[in-house]
């Protein structure tokens, strides 16, 4: 005959499952902001490095020019930033696919002065989305 008293129960109780879920939720709440902070720092570093590369390319491009009207700068009569980026890509000094959208002269940074600020780290990342990330240049004057 089947004896109910000797039957052992196996598995977890509802309380044990709830405790484990609560512990996992607490760990998740601690880790998620830290991971997002690292991602934002990495994105900022990537954008800053790209800006330094573009600044270097502009300086190299300008060093080869005889007249200031042929240089990429914010001065009147010179080549504007957006057109300058296009010139650098055409001259194969920059790879278009590696320029973040916020630095390509069409959206976000539109001047060499702002590019210098980004290269110096005077900006914040407002939206992370790979090459489509959005930044805000710090407006504090030096």
């Amino acid at each position: 005959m089947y004896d109910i008293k000797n039957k052992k129960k196996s598995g977890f109780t509802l309380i044990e499952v709830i405790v484990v879920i609560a512990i996992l939720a607490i760990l998740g709440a601690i880790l998620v902001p830290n991971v997002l902070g690292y991602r934002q720092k990495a994105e900022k570093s990537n954008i800053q490095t790209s800006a330094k590369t573009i600044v270097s390319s502009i300086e190299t491009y300008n060093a080869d020019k005889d007249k200031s009207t042929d240089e990429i700068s914010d001065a009147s009569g010179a080549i504007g930033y957006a057109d300058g980026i296009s010139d650098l890509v055409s001259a194969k000094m920059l790879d278009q696919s590696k320029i973040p959208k916020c630095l390509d002269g069409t959206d976000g940074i539109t001047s060499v002065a702002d590019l210098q600020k980004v290269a110096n780290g005077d900006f914040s990342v407002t939206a992370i989305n790979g090459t489509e990330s959005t930044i805000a240049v710090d407006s504090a004057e030096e």
Side-chain angles (χ1 to χ4, degrees), residues 2-37:
Y2 188 70
D3 189 8
I4 296 178
K5 291 181 182 177
N6 291 334
K7 182 180 176 190
K8 289 192 170 194
K9 293 183 180 179
S10 62
F12 298 107
T13 66
L14 182 59
I15 300 274
E16 291 170 330
V17 172
I18 290 173
V19 168
V20 169
I21 290 173
I23 290 171
L24 290 175
I26 291 169
L27 288 174
I30 292 170
L31 292 176
V32 167
N34 290 336
V35 171
L36 291 177

Side-chain angles (χ1 to χ4, degrees), residues 1 5 16 31 35-36 38 59-60 67-69 73 82-84 90 95 108 117 120 123 131 133 136-137 140-141:
M1 200 166 202
K5 291 181 182 177
E16 291 170 330
L31 292 176
V35 171
L36 291 177
Y38 287 125
E59 289 171 353
T60 303
K67 299 184 291 183
S68 61
T69 56
S73 77
D83 292 332
S90 298
D95 182 355
K117 288 181 182 179
N120 292 331
F123 72 102
T131 59
S133 293
V137 176
E141 294 297 319

Side-chain angles (χ1 to χ4, degrees), residues 50-65 70-73 79-96 99 103-104 112 115:
S50 295
K52 288 178 182 179
T53 301
I54 295 170
V55 167
S56 176
S57 296
I58 288 172
E59 289 171 353
T60 303
Y61 181 88
N62 288 347
D64 292 340
K65 301 302 173 189
D70 294 335
E71 293 181 351
I72 301 169
S73 77
I79 300 169
Y81 178 72
D83 292 332
I85 294 295
S86 297
D87 289 352
L88 292 172
V89 170
S90 298
K92 300 202 184 302
M93 294 178 76
L94 290 175
D95 182 355
Q96 180 70 45
I99 301 172
L103 300 178
D104 71 359
V112 177
L115 179 68

Side-chain angles (χ1 to χ4, degrees), residues 84-139:
I85 294 295
S86 297
D87 289 352
L88 292 172
V89 170
S90 298
K92 300 202 184 302
M93 294 178 76
L94 290 175
D95 182 355
Q96 180 70 45
S97 66
K98 297 195 174 159
I99 301 172
K101 183 120 175 88
C102 57
L103 300 178
D104 71 359
T106 59
D107 186 30
I109 303 302
T110 57
S111 70
V112 177
D114 283 347
L115 179 68
Q116 285 284 358
K117 288 181 182 179
V118 173
N120 292 331
D122 299 332
F123 72 102
S124 58
V125 178
T126 57
I128 299 173
N129 188 15
T131 59
E132 300 284 325
S133 293
T134 308
I135 63 172
V137 176
D138 296 342
S139 59

